[in-house]
Amino acid sequence: MSAARLAARSFLSRRLAAAVPAAAPAASTPAASTCPAVQQQQSQFHSSAHLEARRRSRFKNVRAVEMGLTSDEKIESFTKKKFAEYTEDEKAALAHNYPAEHMEAIEAAEAAIDPKDLTIQGRLRVDPYRMPYIDDFSEIQPIIDKRARRSAPPSHKARFMDVDEFTQDLINWADEIRRGEPTHRMKKVRDFVPQEFFEKPEGQWPKDVRDEAFTKFWAYLKEQKDADAKAAANATGPTDGDILSYILERSSMTDNNLQSNSSLAPALPDKVPGVEGKYRNAIDPADDGLDDKGQYQELKKRTGMSVRQILQLKTKKLVHRRVVNQTRLGKIASDSVMVIAGNGDGWLGLGMAKSVEASIAVEKATLLAIQNMQPIPRYENRTIYGEVTAKVSGTIVRLTSRPPGFGLRVSHRIFEMCRAAGIRDLNAKFLRSRNPMNTVKATYQALLSQPNPENLAIGRGKKLVDVRKVYYGGSVY
């Protein structure tokens, strides 16, 4: 490899020596490495740019000589040309578009900024990509400026007017309307500009076009003022155009006919005339105010229990999981809840529900658990009959009956299920998986699938006698 590198280096030296003029030293000498031609050829084998090119700025420096600012007279003329002071007409135009507090801020800014500093220290860009960083506040730019609100926004508590309020509003409109105005619409500044600038924003109008439009607009306002004074003297009432404008444009709500800047329609009030009192939750007077929201009315029809009996049931949330559904729009997370319900005397129910809100999922699962309650067989009202096993997926639960006083030696979830069903003596074992949801399902399935000794005796044609109950008096539980 070293021999190949030496051969390539000598070949490159000969090629570069041929490119160097005769007056230059030979390429084989040590001085050949400092030759400009050598540096130019060597740079072709490197991907990075020259150091001078990397240090070069994208923006060219502009000196005062190039801008023609070499004397005080030229600086003064340039300042008056580019940063001229406001005239009286321009101040009147600003006062027409800006409120008084904004005008005070504009005058304070004009007094604080020296135009000569902008002339000497700044540079005005003339390229088409320049930003509007110099603003004389004589034009309204919709992207930057925000028009001041002439009145307060409509009240969010506004409601639809009743008959009396509508009548009074009609009387007020008839008293305040401008008589003799066929269209009930005043012209705007845009109506006085040429047709080519009619569709363009006001900020893009030329200065001479804008000044001429404002002059005509003020003359029009003066004429309208004189015409209104004459019409008030010879008032004959609103025209057909005024009445049509009242029907289409007048607000029918108690918001003083204020126009909102929002595109959202006002929300319906709590009390709408003609609808108030017709749509209410189904409330049963027999519930004594226990279900004002109507939450348990459908459950009452399905179970036959009263609201008081439903509220006395024991409910418990046993499993709460956060699940995610993968859709084409992304992952949608929701809460999965499992709830049990029981009366503590042999009835037990299981309910499952999902919802984006955890509280809604718990409420739905509780109602389902109460609706799904079923009787649980109990021996002596304290334990189960014998031994029973149930399997759900990979979970196997084995429940075994125990004598009085043994207690509940089970897991915490089965403990809550036994309390809700009224079982006080029980032993439980998990032979395989301990998945929480499968554990509850398997236990519920095992409690419902207990072998009933009386049914077995009837099937065999024999008589069943409980020795403990007959000879020892049974249990007092």
Side-chain angles (χ1 to χ4, degrees), residues 173-185:
W173 169 81
D175 293 339
E176 298 174 0
I177 191 173
R178 182 183 297 105
R179 272 82 171 180
E181 180 88 20
T183 60
H184 194 59
R185 174 184 177 274

Side-chain angles (χ1 to χ4, degrees), residues 307-362:
V307 176
R308 191 176 300 275
Q309 293 175 345
I310 293 175
L311 295 177
Q312 290 177 353
L313 297 176
K314 300 178 181 179
T315 59
K316 185 71 175 180
K317 180 180 68 174
L318 296 185
V319 183
H320 187 178
R321 301 184 306 169
R322 188 70 173 173
V323 296
V324 177
N325 182 24
Q326 180 67 50
T327 64
R328 62 184 181 87
L329 301 178
K331 295 182 179 179
I332 301 177
S334 59
D335 292 87
S336 176
V337 178
M338 177 179 287
V339 178
I340 61 167
N343 62 349
D345 192 18
W347 284 79
L348 184 65
L350 184 64
M352 295 179 56
K354 291 181 183 179
S355 178
V356 179
E357 297 291 337
S359 58
I360 299 177
V362 173

